[in-house]
Amino acid sequence: MKRRFAPCFLFFAMPMKKTVTHTVDSLEPLGFWEDGKKLSMFCRVRSDPHAIFLLSNAKQSLVHFSANSAKRVIIAHAVTPKFSLAHVNNIVSARVGAKEVIVFTYGSGPTAKLMIAEHKRGHEWWVRGAATGIHERGGIVSDGSIRNERVMYFGESLIWTASAKNALDWTKRKDPVLKPRPGFFDHGDMKFLGAEHCEKGTIILYDASVRDGDQVKLQVGAALISPSDPQKVIWRADHPIFEKTVPYHADLRSVGAVFADDTALIYWYSEHGGIQSCSLFTPFSKSPVRKASRLVKRSAKNPIIAPQKGRWWGSEATLNPAAVNIGGVIHLLFRAMGPDGVSRIGYARTTDGIHIDEIHPEPVFALEYSAYGLRPVTERKFDPVRYPSGGSWGGCEDPRVTKIGDRVYLTFNAFDNWDNIRIGMVSISVDDFLAKRWNWAPMRFLSPVGRHKNWVLFPEKINGRYAMFHNLHSKETDRVMVEYFDSMELAGITDPNFHSPDPLKMPNRPIAWHIRMKAPGPSPVKTDEGWLLLYQAHDAEMGKYKVGALLLDLDDPTRVIARSSVPILEPTEWYENEWKPGIVYSCGAVEKDGTLFIYYGGGDKHVCVATAPMKEFLDALKRDRPIVPIISKVVIA
């Protein structure tokens, strides 16, 4: 069906340089205008609905706008004498060839019109026409065309598309491009937020927020549209790329989306809460924020430790190495398995971090019994089908090593079966450790009976207390869970004393690139910028283990300063897929001479290493977006 714009002409209007004289709280946002690298916000003064102002961003920030820069807007319409700015809403800017335009709704309800105005100069626009029959907010895809036609997406309950060879003649497609999905987060109304052309097609963002009593769950959905067919969806997020529960206010509404580089900023408004925004990583765009992950380089020597048939206790698999740097030498404690299916701890040493100088001929620690009683003899063997946790039926799995003071602490998963997993801990003096006198103190269980995995100690006290990760899940997306206790001597006797939820029973929770955090990885590395923590997580490829990075506050490590927006390691190499496909699992990370060494298990069979320059890695991580997608207050001053 054709939607035709009636052409109209600009009537004469004198430029007005009147600035905002009203209070900042009286401004209501209507939309945004992107002029090159400059972003401005259209605002209405609530006490004077006929006045619209344009505020420029300040401090090179997308959440700071200057009231002093405000200029009164002229939107002129020659054909409609009663054209009033009081009826202008939902302004979206776009580039159409060499022209800058804005698309906006005029009026409300079924009588609303979607109109296009062309930028004339400064803060003046003239209306080209209205798309008859289109009554909902929408926007033209900037710098994007398909078969020489411009594309527009619009909608406030369904998302539709229309195309045109010029600015006046539009064809609305018969069927919506996006509809609500029963059983998904976007099962209700969907409001168009913005669309951006990218290398793989067009990204559409939409508001799928839902009210629940006196609260509203803000939800942003995303879809990727084919570069050759504006009606063909080639990807759609099964989970919101952003969600946040906030108090309900009757006038709470989404204002729109602004795309800047690889970031989308979503804006909301209510009179009570003011203007707020969320910055999040844009799916599928070319990403300079991936620089942190690109800095991580696998060693050409990988795997640096592999199973050997002559090593009875490690002939089937060597994996998941822990690491500690003592005096410039990196010591590795790795999990190893022989044909009997028992996981034991092996030792290796490297001076340069890559080449292995020594592997101890015997395991340096082992639990020769299961934690809760022996299995039948027929089941006591290496069997990766029966025992998918690496092929082991028992012993000590997935070690972490931490030096605290003059002792080295080894924590591990004492595995008996999937219902019987506890955290074991042993320790040894630094002197004995370096001399390879394996005089471990008696083992203690840190966790109670049940299913617990991957508890990780901090290498020093925080605010006078020992600290430990046992489960990263927290109620807030910008926090992780840390537990504190008072005595290492009483660890496993009276301390630590806290509830630790079963990690397998924790729900999926989309944050950044992943939908499920599995576990903390190595003991955190202390840096001048914060605690660097690597962790294991799943994204939409749920069968694959990938590694992410967090930067945590030094004094309050529950607070997330930065988070990698993409995995820093993914299973792509043969040695990460040869035995158990799709596994990179890091249990060791150290800094040496300005280089971050990341030690990990590949494919549940090999010991591997990757490196990154520490300073550049941290700088890139801090610049990464989204750090954690959170609501920020928009400042007008």
Side-chain angles (χ1 to χ4, degrees), residues 421 451-455 470-471 473 500-507 516-519:
I421 309 172
R451 183 162 52 188
H452 304 279
K453 297 185 70 177
N454 306 309
W455 291 17
H470 63 98
N471 193 311
H473 288 261
S500 181
D502 184 340
L504 293 182
K505 294 181 180 179
M506 298 299 290
R516 184 175 183 84
M517 285 191 294
K518 289 292 289 184

Side-chain angles (χ1 to χ4, degrees), residues 157-230:
S157 56
L158 309 170
I159 306 298
W160 301 83
T161 183
S163 57
K165 292 187 179 296
N166 55 55
L168 301 180
D169 298 308
W170 289 84
T171 301
K172 177 184 174 181
R173 295 298 179 100
K174 180 180 178 181
D175 298 315
V177 65
L178 296 174
K179 297 185 292 186
R181 296 178 294 179
F184 287 80
F185 74 96
D186 50 2
H187 54 81
D189 287 346
M190 301 179 299
K191 299 178 178 63
F192 173 82
L193 288 173
E196 176 84 343
H197 178 70
C198 71
E199 184 180 15
K200 296 187 177 181
T202 299
I203 300 168
I204 296 178
L205 301 183
Y206 56 92
D207 179 3
S209 300
V210 292
R211 180 182 175 184
D212 182 12
D214 59 354
Q215 294 183 317
V216 173
K217 180 180 283 190
L218 302 178
Q219 299 181 128
V220 176
L224 181 68
I225 309 300
S226 167
S228 59
D229 182 353

